[in-house]
Every structure is written in C-alpha cells, then in structure tokens.
PDB file of all heavy atoms in Angstrom:
ATOM      1  N   ILE A   1      89.287 110.079 109.897  1.00 97.00           N
ATOM      2  CA  ILE A   1      88.381 108.929 109.799  1.00 97.00           C
ATOM      3  C   ILE A   1      89.125 107.872 108.939  1.00 97.00           C
ATOM      4  O   ILE A   1      89.640 108.199 107.894  1.00 97.00           O
ATOM      5  CB  ILE A   1      87.035 109.259 109.181  1.00 97.00           C
ATOM      6  CG1 ILE A   1      86.324 110.313 110.034  1.00 97.00           C
ATOM      7  CG2 ILE A   1      86.197 108.017 109.004  1.00 97.00           C
ATOM      8  CD1 ILE A   1      85.938 109.808 111.416  1.00 97.00           C
ATOM      9  N   GLY A   2      89.116 106.639 109.407  1.00 97.00           N
ATOM     10  CA  GLY A   2      89.743 105.556 108.668  1.00 97.00           C
ATOM     11  C   GLY A   2      88.776 104.471 108.250  1.00 97.00           C
ATOM     12  O   GLY A   2      87.843 104.166 108.996  1.00 97.00           O
ATOM     13  N   TRP A   3      89.008 103.941 107.076  1.00 98.00           N
ATOM     14  CA  TRP A   3      88.241 102.775 106.599  1.00 98.00           C
ATOM     15  C   TRP A   3      89.152 101.556 106.694  1.00 98.00           C
ATOM     16  O   TRP A   3      90.305 101.610 106.229  1.00 98.00           O
ATOM     17  CB  TRP A   3      87.771 102.946 105.159  1.00 98.00           C
ATOM     18  CG  TRP A   3      86.521 103.739 104.998  1.00 98.00           C
ATOM     19  CD1 TRP A   3      86.401 105.031 104.620  1.00 98.00           C
ATOM     20  CD2 TRP A   3      85.180 103.267 105.206  1.00 98.00           C
ATOM     21  NE1 TRP A   3      85.094 105.392 104.583  1.00 98.00           N
ATOM     22  CE2 TRP A   3      84.295 104.323 104.913  1.00 98.00           C
ATOM     23  CE3 TRP A   3      84.620 102.040 105.575  1.00 98.00           C
ATOM     24  CZ2 TRP A   3      82.900 104.215 105.006  1.00 98.00           C
ATOM     25  CZ3 TRP A   3      83.264 101.904 105.684  1.00 98.00           C
ATOM     26  CH2 TRP A   3      82.402 103.001 105.382  1.00 98.00           C
ATOM     27  N   PHE A   4      88.655 100.489 107.272  1.00 97.00           N
ATOM     28  CA  PHE A   4      89.366  99.239 107.432  1.00 97.00           C
ATOM     29  C   PHE A   4      88.448  98.121 106.912  1.00 97.00           C
ATOM     30  O   PHE A   4      87.262  98.289 106.782  1.00 97.00           O
ATOM     31  CB  PHE A   4      89.751  98.971 108.880  1.00 97.00           C
ATOM     32  CG  PHE A   4      90.747  99.920 109.466  1.00 97.00           C
ATOM     33  CD1 PHE A   4      90.426 101.243 109.757  1.00 97.00           C
ATOM     34  CD2 PHE A   4      92.055  99.505 109.644  1.00 97.00           C
ATOM     35  CE1 PHE A   4      91.356 102.101 110.269  1.00 97.00           C
ATOM     36  CE2 PHE A   4      93.030 100.357 110.158  1.00 97.00           C
ATOM     37  CZ  PHE A   4      92.664 101.671 110.448  1.00 97.00           C
ATOM     38  N   ARG A   5      89.074  96.941 106.645  1.00 98.00           N
ATOM     39  CA  ARG A   5      88.241  95.811 106.204  1.00 98.00           C
ATOM     40  C   ARG A   5      88.817  94.534 106.796  1.00 98.00           C
ATOM     41  O   ARG A   5      90.021  94.439 107.114  1.00 98.00           O
ATOM     42  CB  ARG A   5      88.230  95.700 104.664  1.00 98.00           C
ATOM     43  CG  ARG A   5      89.570  95.425 104.003  1.00 98.00           C
ATOM     44  CD  ARG A   5      89.465  95.539 102.505  1.00 98.00           C
ATOM     45  NE  ARG A   5      90.685  95.258 101.824  1.00 98.00           N
ATOM     46  CZ  ARG A   5      90.885  95.410 100.505  1.00 98.00           C
ATOM     47  NH1 ARG A   5      89.866  95.832  99.724  1.00 98.00           N
ATOM     48  NH2 ARG A   5      92.049  95.124  99.965  1.00 98.00           N
ATOM     49  N   GLN A   6      87.950  93.534 106.942  1.00 97.00           N
ATOM     50  CA  GLN A   6      88.341  92.273 107.482  1.00 97.00           C
ATOM     51  C   GLN A   6      87.652  91.128 106.723  1.00 97.00           C
ATOM     52  O   GLN A   6      86.425  91.051 106.759  1.00 97.00           O
ATOM     53  CB  GLN A   6      88.035  92.162 108.981  1.00 97.00           C
ATOM     54  CG  GLN A   6      88.610  90.919 109.617  1.00 97.00           C
ATOM     55  CD  GLN A   6      88.588  91.002 111.170  1.00 97.00           C
ATOM     56  OE1 GLN A   6      87.815  91.757 111.745  1.00 97.00           O
ATOM     57  NE2 GLN A   6      89.448  90.231 111.806  1.00 97.00           N
ATOM     58  N   ALA A   7      88.425  90.316 106.050  1.00 97.00           N
ATOM     59  CA  ALA A   7      87.905  89.150 105.383  1.00 97.00           C
ATOM     60  C   ALA A   7      87.889  87.958 106.284  1.00 97.00           C
ATOM     61  O   ALA A   7      88.641  87.911 107.283  1.00 97.00           O
ATOM     62  CB  ALA A   7      88.756  88.883 104.101  1.00 97.00           C
ATOM     63  N   PRO A   8      87.064  86.956 105.996  1.00 92.00           N
ATOM     64  CA  PRO A   8      87.070  85.741 106.854  1.00 92.00           C
ATOM     65  C   PRO A   8      88.418  85.121 106.971  1.00 92.00           C
ATOM     66  O   PRO A   8      89.146  84.900 106.020  1.00 92.00           O
ATOM     67  CB  PRO A   8      86.104  84.779 106.087  1.00 92.00           C
ATOM     68  CG  PRO A   8      85.216  85.726 105.347  1.00 92.00           C
ATOM     69  CD  PRO A   8      86.081  86.882 104.925  1.00 92.00           C
ATOM     70  N   GLY A   9      88.852  84.857 108.229  1.00 94.00           N
ATOM     71  CA  GLY A   9      90.124  84.257 108.508  1.00 94.00           C
ATOM     72  C   GLY A   9      91.299  85.187 108.357  1.00 94.00           C
ATOM     73  O   GLY A   9      92.457  84.746 108.417  1.00 94.00           O
ATOM     74  N   ARG A  10      91.053  86.467 108.137  1.00 95.00           N
ATOM     75  CA  ARG A  10      92.118  87.466 107.940  1.00 95.00           C
ATOM     76  C   ARG A  10      92.103  88.503 109.042  1.00 95.00           C
ATOM     77  O   ARG A  10      91.101  88.737 109.676  1.00 95.00           O
ATOM     78  CB  ARG A  10      91.973  88.158 106.584  1.00 95.00           C
ATOM     79  CG  ARG A  10      91.931  87.227 105.371  1.00 95.00           C
ATOM     80  CD  ARG A  10      93.319  86.855 104.900  1.00 95.00           C
ATOM     81  NE  ARG A  10      94.063  88.036 104.462  1.00 95.00           N
ATOM     82  CZ  ARG A  10      93.989  88.553 103.241  1.00 95.00           C
ATOM     83  NH1 ARG A  10      93.162  88.015 102.321  1.00 95.00           N
ATOM     84  NH2 ARG A  10      94.680  89.619 102.923  1.00 95.00           N
ATOM     85  N   ALA A  11      93.257  89.132 109.243  1.00 93.00           N
ATOM     86  CA  ALA A  11      93.328  90.238 110.189  1.00 93.00           C
ATOM     87  C   ALA A  11      92.715  91.511 109.599  1.00 93.00           C
ATOM     88  O   ALA A  11      92.601  91.662 108.391  1.00 93.00           O
ATOM     89  CB  ALA A  11      94.816  90.492 110.568  1.00 93.00           C
ATOM     90  N   ARG A  12      92.324  92.416 110.445  1.00 93.00           N
ATOM     91  CA  ARG A  12      91.749  93.684 110.008  1.00 93.00           C
ATOM     92  C   ARG A  12      92.847  94.490 109.293  1.00 93.00           C
ATOM     93  O   ARG A  12      93.949  94.625 109.787  1.00 93.00           O
ATOM     94  CB  ARG A  12      91.166  94.449 111.158  1.00 93.00           C
ATOM     95  CG  ARG A  12      90.427  95.727 110.732  1.00 93.00           C
ATOM     96  CD  ARG A  12      89.670  96.357 111.894  1.00 93.00           C
ATOM     97  NE  ARG A  12      88.620  95.494 112.419  1.00 93.00           N
ATOM     98  CZ  ARG A  12      87.679  95.878 113.278  1.00 93.00           C
ATOM     99  NH1 ARG A  12      87.666  97.106 113.729  1.00 93.00           N
ATOM    100  NH2 ARG A  12      86.764  94.991 113.710  1.00 93.00           N
ATOM    101  N   GLU A  13      92.519  95.043 108.130  1.00 95.00           N
ATOM    102  CA  GLU A  13      93.451  95.670 107.236  1.00 95.00           C
ATOM    103  C   GLU A  13      93.038  97.118 107.001  1.00 95.00           C
ATOM    104  O   GLU A  13      91.881  97.411 106.691  1.00 95.00           O
ATOM    105  CB  GLU A  13      93.507  94.962 105.899  1.00 95.00           C
ATOM    106  CG  GLU A  13      94.325  95.613 104.804  1.00 95.00           C
ATOM    107  CD  GLU A  13      94.101  94.983 103.441  1.00 95.00           C
ATOM    108  OE1 GLU A  13      93.052  94.334 103.236  1.00 95.00           O
ATOM    109  OE2 GLU A  13      94.982  95.081 102.594  1.00 95.00           O
ATOM    110  N   GLY A  14      93.989  98.049 107.128  1.00 96.00           N
ATOM    111  CA  GLY A  14      93.734  99.446 106.833  1.00 96.00           C
ATOM    112  C   GLY A  14      93.578  99.671 105.313  1.00 96.00           C
ATOM    113  O   GLY A  14      94.392  99.141 104.518  1.00 96.00           O
ATOM    114  N   VAL A  15      92.566 100.419 104.933  1.00 97.00           N
ATOM    115  CA  VAL A  15      92.249 100.664 103.521  1.00 97.00           C
ATOM    116  C   VAL A  15      92.584 102.122 103.157  1.00 97.00           C
ATOM    117  O   VAL A  15      93.315 102.390 102.166  1.00 97.00           O
ATOM    118  CB  VAL A  15      90.808 100.367 103.231  1.00 97.00           C
ATOM    119  CG1 VAL A  15      90.462 100.732 101.775  1.00 97.00           C
ATOM    120  CG2 VAL A  15      90.486  98.882 103.474  1.00 97.00           C
ATOM    121  N   SER A  16      92.012 103.077 103.893  1.00 97.00           N
ATOM    122  CA  SER A  16      92.180 104.468 103.538  1.00 97.00           C
ATOM    123  C   SER A  16      91.814 105.334 104.750  1.00 97.00           C
ATOM    124  O   SER A  16      91.062 104.893 105.602  1.00 97.00           O
ATOM    125  CB  SER A  16      91.251 104.821 102.343  1.00 97.00           C
ATOM    126  OG  SER A  16      91.466 106.126 101.889  1.00 97.00           O
ATOM    127  N   CYS A  17      92.386 106.533 104.816  1.00 97.00           N
ATOM    128  CA  CYS A  17      92.005 107.471 105.860  1.00 97.00           C
ATOM    129  C   CYS A  17      91.908 108.878 105.288  1.00 97.00           C
ATOM    130  O   CYS A  17      92.490 109.148 104.224  1.00 97.00           O
ATOM    131  CB  CYS A  17      92.971 107.411 107.042  1.00 97.00           C
ATOM    132  SG  CYS A  17      94.670 107.871 106.689  1.00 97.00           S
ATOM    133  N   LEU A  18      91.206 109.711 105.992  1.00 96.00           N
ATOM    134  CA  LEU A  18      90.983 111.072 105.579  1.00 96.00           C
ATOM    135  C   LEU A  18      91.024 112.023 106.783  1.00 96.00           C
ATOM    136  O   LEU A  18      90.496 111.715 107.842  1.00 96.00           O
ATOM    137  CB  LEU A  18      89.627 111.203 104.862  1.00 96.00           C
ATOM    138  CG  LEU A  18      89.121 112.609 104.532  1.00 96.00           C
ATOM    139  CD1 LEU A  18      88.335 112.574 103.220  1.00 96.00           C
ATOM    140  CD2 LEU A  18      88.212 113.111 105.641  1.00 96.00           C
ATOM    141  N   SER A  19      91.695 113.150 106.625  1.00 95.00           N
ATOM    142  CA  SER A  19      91.619 114.239 107.586  1.00 95.00           C
ATOM    143  C   SER A  19      91.063 115.448 106.858  1.00 95.00           C
ATOM    144  O   SER A  19      91.765 116.113 106.082  1.00 95.00           O
ATOM    145  CB  SER A  19      93.012 114.556 108.140  1.00 95.00           C
ATOM    146  OG  SER A  19      92.985 115.686 108.947  1.00 95.00           O
ATOM    147  N   LEU A  20      89.781 115.704 107.070  1.00 93.00           N
ATOM    148  CA  LEU A  20      89.154 116.844 106.373  1.00 93.00           C
ATOM    149  C   LEU A  20      89.676 118.173 106.865  1.00 93.00           C
ATOM    150  O   LEU A  20      89.818 119.116 106.076  1.00 93.00           O
ATOM    151  CB  LEU A  20      87.640 116.776 106.590  1.00 93.00           C
ATOM    152  CG  LEU A  20      86.781 117.633 105.683  1.00 93.00           C
ATOM    153  CD1 LEU A  20      87.001 117.257 104.221  1.00 93.00           C
ATOM    154  CD2 LEU A  20      85.289 117.509 106.048  1.00 93.00           C
ATOM    155  N   SER A  21      90.010 118.274 108.154  1.00 91.00           N
ATOM    156  CA  SER A  21      90.460 119.532 108.705  1.00 91.00           C
ATOM    157  C   SER A  21      91.859 119.933 108.192  1.00 91.00           C
ATOM    158  O   SER A  21      92.162 121.126 108.103  1.00 91.00           O
ATOM    159  CB  SER A  21      90.518 119.471 110.238  1.00 91.00           C
ATOM    160  OG  SER A  21      91.393 118.456 110.705  1.00 91.00           O
ATOM    161  N   THR A  22      92.699 118.965 107.813  1.00 93.00           N
ATOM    162  CA  THR A  22      94.007 119.259 107.255  1.00 93.00           C
ATOM    163  C   THR A  22      94.087 118.991 105.777  1.00 93.00           C
ATOM    164  O   THR A  22      95.139 119.277 105.169  1.00 93.00           O
ATOM    165  CB  THR A  22      95.109 118.436 107.946  1.00 93.00           C
ATOM    166  OG1 THR A  22      94.934 117.041 107.696  1.00 93.00           O
ATOM    167  CG2 THR A  22      95.080 118.648 109.478  1.00 93.00           C
ATOM    168  N   GLY A  23      93.066 118.477 105.164  1.00 94.00           N
ATOM    169  CA  GLY A  23      93.055 118.184 103.735  1.00 94.00           C
ATOM    170  C   GLY A  23      93.960 117.055 103.306  1.00 94.00           C
ATOM    171  O   GLY A  23      94.441 117.054 102.156  1.00 94.00           O
ATOM    172  N   SER A  24      94.135 116.077 104.168  1.00 94.00           N
ATOM    173  CA  SER A  24      95.071 114.973 103.900  1.00 94.00           C
ATOM    174  C   SER A  24      94.284 113.661 103.726  1.00 94.00           C
ATOM    175  O   SER A  24      93.308 113.404 104.419  1.00 94.00           O
ATOM    176  CB  SER A  24      96.091 114.802 105.022  1.00 94.00           C
ATOM    177  OG  SER A  24      96.862 115.996 105.169  1.00 94.00           O
ATOM    178  N   THR A  25      94.762 112.833 102.796  1.00 95.00           N
ATOM    179  CA  THR A  25      94.250 111.497 102.595  1.00 95.00           C
ATOM    180  C   THR A  25      95.394 110.539 102.364  1.00 95.00           C
ATOM    181  O   THR A  25      96.504 110.924 101.978  1.00 95.00           O
ATOM    182  CB  THR A  25      93.292 111.401 101.411  1.00 95.00           C
ATOM    183  OG1 THR A  25      93.984 111.707 100.214  1.00 95.00           O
ATOM    184  CG2 THR A  25      92.141 112.332 101.572  1.00 95.00           C
ATOM    185  N   PHE A  26      95.151 109.251 102.634  1.00 95.00           N
ATOM    186  CA  PHE A  26      96.083 108.195 102.350  1.00 95.00           C
ATOM    187  C   PHE A  26      95.338 106.933 102.044  1.00 95.00           C
ATOM    188  O   PHE A  26      94.332 106.617 102.692  1.00 95.00           O
ATOM    189  CB  PHE A  26      97.054 107.947 103.516  1.00 95.00           C
ATOM    190  CG  PHE A  26      98.032 106.850 103.269  1.00 95.00           C
ATOM    191  CD1 PHE A  26      99.181 107.081 102.530  1.00 95.00           C
ATOM    192  CD2 PHE A  26      97.808 105.554 103.733  1.00 95.00           C
ATOM    193  CE1 PHE A  26     100.060 106.047 102.236  1.00 95.00           C
ATOM    194  CE2 PHE A  26      98.664 104.516 103.454  1.00 95.00           C
ATOM    195  CZ  PHE A  26      99.827 104.796 102.732  1.00 95.00           C
ATOM    196  N   SER A  27      95.819 106.163 101.052  1.00 96.00           N
ATOM    197  CA  SER A  27      95.202 104.895 100.693  1.00 96.00           C
ATOM    198  C   SER A  27      96.273 103.810 100.608  1.00 96.00           C
ATOM    199  O   SER A  27      97.413 104.077 100.170  1.00 96.00           O
ATOM    200  CB  SER A  27      94.476 104.995  99.376  1.00 96.00           C
ATOM    201  OG  SER A  27      93.344 105.855  99.469  1.00 96.00           O
ATOM    202  N   ALA A  28      95.909 102.575 100.968  1.00 96.00           N
ATOM    203  CA  ALA A  28      96.808 101.459 100.868  1.00 96.00           C
ATOM    204  C   ALA A  28      97.132 101.137  99.412  1.00 96.00           C
ATOM    205  O   ALA A  28      96.284 101.422  98.520  1.00 96.00           O
ATOM    206  CB  ALA A  28      96.205 100.253 101.550  1.00 96.00           C
ATOM    207  N   ASP A  29      98.273 100.547  99.140  1.00 95.00           N
ATOM    208  CA  ASP A  29      98.682 100.234  97.755  1.00 95.00           C
ATOM    209  C   ASP A  29      97.658  99.305  97.095  1.00 95.00           C
ATOM    210  O   ASP A  29      97.458  99.417  95.889  1.00 95.00           O
ATOM    211  CB  ASP A  29     100.033  99.563  97.764  1.00 95.00           C
ATOM    212  CG  ASP A  29     101.164 100.519  98.090  1.00 95.00           C
ATOM    213  OD1 ASP A  29     100.963 101.763  97.986  1.00 95.00           O
ATOM    214  OD2 ASP A  29     102.259 100.053  98.454  1.00 95.00           O
ATOM    215  N   SER A  30      97.013  98.447  97.839  1.00 95.00           N
ATOM    216  CA  SER A  30      96.082  97.475  97.258  1.00 95.00           C
ATOM    217  C   SER A  30      94.856  98.142  96.646  1.00 95.00           C
ATOM    218  O   SER A  30      94.173  97.503  95.828  1.00 95.00           O
ATOM    219  CB  SER A  30      95.660  96.463  98.326  1.00 95.00           C
ATOM    220  OG  SER A  30      95.054  97.082  99.416  1.00 95.00           O
ATOM    221  N   VAL A  31      94.534  99.388  97.014  1.00 97.00           N
ATOM    222  CA  VAL A  31      93.358 100.043  96.522  1.00 97.00           C
ATOM    223  C   VAL A  31      93.623 101.335  95.779  1.00 97.00           C
ATOM    224  O   VAL A  31      92.682 101.945  95.240  1.00 97.00           O
ATOM    225  CB  VAL A  31      92.314 100.276  97.652  1.00 97.00           C
ATOM    226  CG1 VAL A  31      91.983  98.971  98.372  1.00 97.00           C
ATOM    227  CG2 VAL A  31      92.840 101.309  98.648  1.00 97.00           C
ATOM    228  N   LYS A  32      94.897 101.788  95.736  1.00 96.00           N
ATOM    229  CA  LYS A  32      95.196 103.019  95.060  1.00 96.00           C
ATOM    230  C   LYS A  32      94.785 102.971  93.599  1.00 96.00           C
ATOM    231  O   LYS A  32      95.031 101.991  92.917  1.00 96.00           O
ATOM    232  CB  LYS A  32      96.675 103.335  95.157  1.00 96.00           C
ATOM    233  CG  LYS A  32      97.113 103.881  96.510  1.00 96.00           C
ATOM    234  CD  LYS A  32      98.587 104.214  96.564  1.00 96.00           C
ATOM    235  CE  LYS A  32      98.990 104.807  97.864  1.00 96.00           C
ATOM    236  NZ  LYS A  32     100.459 105.109  97.940  1.00 96.00           N
ATOM    237  N   GLY A  33      94.158 104.047  93.110  1.00 96.00           N
ATOM    238  CA  GLY A  33      93.716 104.078  91.757  1.00 96.00           C
ATOM    239  C   GLY A  33      92.301 103.503  91.547  1.00 96.00           C
ATOM    240  O   GLY A  33      91.721 103.664  90.464  1.00 96.00           O
ATOM    241  N   ARG A  34      91.793 102.800  92.541  1.00 98.00           N
ATOM    242  CA  ARG A  34      90.459 102.167  92.447  1.00 98.00           C
ATOM    243  C   ARG A  34      89.489 102.745  93.477  1.00 98.00           C
ATOM    244  O   ARG A  34      88.309 102.907  93.198  1.00 98.00           O
ATOM    245  CB  ARG A  34      90.558 100.680  92.647  1.00 98.00           C
ATOM    246  CG  ARG A  34      91.421  99.964  91.609  1.00 98.00           C
ATOM    247  CD  ARG A  34      91.297  98.454  91.694  1.00 98.00           C
ATOM    248  NE  ARG A  34      91.758  97.940  92.979  1.00 98.00           N
ATOM    249  CZ  ARG A  34      90.983  97.299  93.851  1.00 98.00           C
ATOM    250  NH1 ARG A  34      89.704  97.078  93.579  1.00 98.00           N
ATOM    251  NH2 ARG A  34      91.466  96.844  94.997  1.00 98.00           N
ATOM    252  N   PHE A  35      89.990 103.059  94.683  1.00 98.00           N
ATOM    253  CA  PHE A  35      89.126 103.587  95.740  1.00 98.00           C
ATOM    254  C   PHE A  35      89.450 105.055  95.976  1.00 98.00           C
ATOM    255  O   PHE A  35      90.645 105.454  95.935  1.00 98.00           O
ATOM    256  CB  PHE A  35      89.374 102.863  97.068  1.00 98.00           C
ATOM    257  CG  PHE A  35      88.925 101.414  97.091  1.00 98.00           C
ATOM    258  CD1 PHE A  35      88.487 100.730  95.949  1.00 98.00           C
ATOM    259  CD2 PHE A  35      88.912 100.721  98.294  1.00 98.00           C
ATOM    260  CE1 PHE A  35      88.115  99.422  95.946  1.00 98.00           C
ATOM    261  CE2 PHE A  35      88.509  99.398  98.324  1.00 98.00           C
ATOM    262  CZ  PHE A  35      88.102  98.745  97.151  1.00 98.00           C
ATOM    263  N   THR A  36      88.447 105.847  96.259  1.00 98.00           N
ATOM    264  CA  THR A  36      88.610 107.252  96.598  1.00 98.00           C
ATOM    265  C   THR A  36      87.829 107.563  97.862  1.00 98.00           C
ATOM    266  O   THR A  36      86.633 107.240  97.964  1.00 98.00           O
ATOM    267  CB  THR A  36      88.110 108.158  95.446  1.00 98.00           C
ATOM    268  OG1 THR A  36      88.871 107.858  94.233  1.00 98.00           O
ATOM    269  CG2 THR A  36      88.324 109.633  95.800  1.00 98.00           C
ATOM    270  N   ILE A  37      88.478 108.246  98.810  1.00 97.00           N
ATOM    271  CA  ILE A  37      87.820 108.623 100.050  1.00 97.00           C
ATOM    272  C   ILE A  37      87.503 110.102  99.981  1.00 97.00           C
ATOM    273  O   ILE A  37      88.273 110.903  99.486  1.00 97.00           O
ATOM    274  CB  ILE A  37      88.704 108.267 101.267  1.00 97.00           C
ATOM    275  CG1 ILE A  37      87.938 108.433 102.593  1.00 97.00           C
ATOM    276  CG2 ILE A  37      89.981 109.106 101.287  1.00 97.00           C
ATOM    277  CD1 ILE A  37      88.649 107.854 103.782  1.00 97.00           C
ATOM    278  N   SER A  38      86.342 110.477 100.530  1.00 97.00           N
ATOM    279  CA  SER A  38      85.927 111.877 100.541  1.00 97.00           C
ATOM    280  C   SER A  38      85.115 112.171 101.768  1.00 97.00           C
ATOM    281  O   SER A  38      84.515 111.262 102.346  1.00 97.00           O
ATOM    282  CB  SER A  38      85.131 112.240  99.301  1.00 97.00           C
ATOM    283  OG  SER A  38      83.915 111.531  99.238  1.00 97.00           O
ATOM    284  N   GLY A  39      85.089 113.429 102.190  1.00 96.00           N
ATOM    285  CA  GLY A  39      84.342 113.843 103.363  1.00 96.00           C
ATOM    286  C   GLY A  39      83.339 114.912 103.012  1.00 96.00           C
ATOM    287  O   GLY A  39      83.578 115.777 102.137  1.00 96.00           O
ATOM    288  N   ASP A  40      82.212 114.913 103.727  1.00 94.00           N
ATOM    289  CA  ASP A  40      81.150 115.897 103.560  1.00 94.00           C
ATOM    290  C   ASP A  40      80.810 116.407 104.942  1.00 94.00           C
ATOM    291  O   ASP A  40      79.996 115.798 105.647  1.00 94.00           O
ATOM    292  CB  ASP A  40      79.936 115.259 102.862  1.00 94.00           C
ATOM    293  CG  ASP A  40      78.826 116.289 102.569  1.00 94.00           C
ATOM    294  OD1 ASP A  40      78.913 117.402 103.065  1.00 94.00           O
ATOM    295  OD2 ASP A  40      77.889 115.919 101.820  1.00 94.00           O
ATOM    296  N   ASN A  41      81.393 117.518 105.307  1.00 92.00           N
ATOM    297  CA  ASN A  41      81.224 118.039 106.673  1.00 92.00           C
ATOM    298  C   ASN A  41      79.778 118.459 106.905  1.00 92.00           C
ATOM    299  O   ASN A  41      79.271 118.355 108.035  1.00 92.00           O
ATOM    300  CB  ASN A  41      82.177 119.221 106.912  1.00 92.00           C
ATOM    301  CG  ASN A  41      82.415 119.450 108.387  1.00 92.00           C
ATOM    302  OD1 ASN A  41      82.328 118.527 109.204  1.00 92.00           O
ATOM    303  ND2 ASN A  41      82.792 120.680 108.738  1.00 92.00           N
ATOM    304  N   ALA A  42      79.091 119.002 105.872  1.00 93.00           N
ATOM    305  CA  ALA A  42      77.735 119.443 106.018  1.00 93.00           C
ATOM    306  C   ALA A  42      76.786 118.320 106.417  1.00 93.00           C
ATOM    307  O   ALA A  42      75.808 118.523 107.128  1.00 93.00           O
ATOM    308  CB  ALA A  42      77.264 120.129 104.757  1.00 93.00           C
ATOM    309  N   ASN A  43      77.079 117.103 105.906  1.00 95.00           N
ATOM    310  CA  ASN A  43      76.239 115.943 106.192  1.00 95.00           C
ATOM    311  C   ASN A  43      76.858 114.987 107.158  1.00 95.00           C
ATOM    312  O   ASN A  43      76.305 113.909 107.416  1.00 95.00           O
ATOM    313  CB  ASN A  43      75.902 115.240 104.896  1.00 95.00           C
ATOM    314  CG  ASN A  43      74.984 116.043 103.994  1.00 95.00           C
ATOM    315  OD1 ASN A  43      73.810 116.286 104.340  1.00 95.00           O
ATOM    316  ND2 ASN A  43      75.491 116.505 102.859  1.00 95.00           N
ATOM    317  N   ASN A  44      78.022 115.341 107.719  1.00 96.00           N
ATOM    318  CA  ASN A  44      78.695 114.513 108.711  1.00 96.00           C
ATOM    319  C   ASN A  44      78.934 113.089 108.225  1.00 96.00           C
ATOM    320  O   ASN A  44      78.630 112.088 108.896  1.00 96.00           O
ATOM    321  CB  ASN A  44      77.915 114.507 110.028  1.00 96.00           C
ATOM    322  CG  ASN A  44      77.760 115.856 110.649  1.00 96.00           C
ATOM    323  OD1 ASN A  44      78.782 116.544 110.866  1.00 96.00           O
ATOM    324  ND2 ASN A  44      76.550 116.256 110.944  1.00 96.00           N
ATOM    325  N   THR A  45      79.471 112.977 106.998  1.00 97.00           N
ATOM    326  CA  THR A  45      79.716 111.696 106.408  1.00 97.00           C
ATOM    327  C   THR A  45      81.078 111.630 105.766  1.00 97.00           C
ATOM    328  O   THR A  45      81.627 112.622 105.296  1.00 97.00           O
ATOM    329  CB  THR A  45      78.649 111.320 105.356  1.00 97.00           C
ATOM    330  OG1 THR A  45      78.650 112.297 104.310  1.00 97.00           O
ATOM    331  CG2 THR A  45      77.279 111.171 105.952  1.00 97.00           C
TER     332      THR A  45
END
C-alpha cells in the first residue's frame, strides 16, 4: 500500500509505502523522521 500526495499545481508525489506481508517499508526523504506508516491486518487498514 502506498501513500501519495498532490498539492495545488504540483504533480502527485510518493510519500511512503508498506508491505505488511514482507515486513518492508519505505519513506521519501522529505518525510523521513516525521511520518510513520503502519498496517493493521485485523482491521484492514
């Protein structure tokens, strides 16, 4: 699952992604240390 964002007049930008099945995450440099991605399989979120 990936999170992206788009500001007015800007292209869509990748923010962070998560693979719960493999235990992998990645975040863009612009948000590292500030944003954290997590998954909850029991609640499908």
Side-chain angles (χ1 to χ4, degrees):
I1 300 295
W3 278 101
F4 293 74
R5 64 188 182 186
Q6 188 166 22
R10 304 276 297 277
R12 187 171 296 191
E13 172 191 24
V15 176
S16 186
C17 63
L18 171 146
S19 173
L20 195 60
S21 62
T22 65
S24 300
T25 63
F26 178 82
S27 295
D29 289 341
S30 59
V31 305
K32 283 182 178 177
R34 299 189 298 118
F35 292 10
T36 301
I37 191 168
S38 65
D40 184 349
N41 203 26
N43 292 293
N44 299 306
T45 58

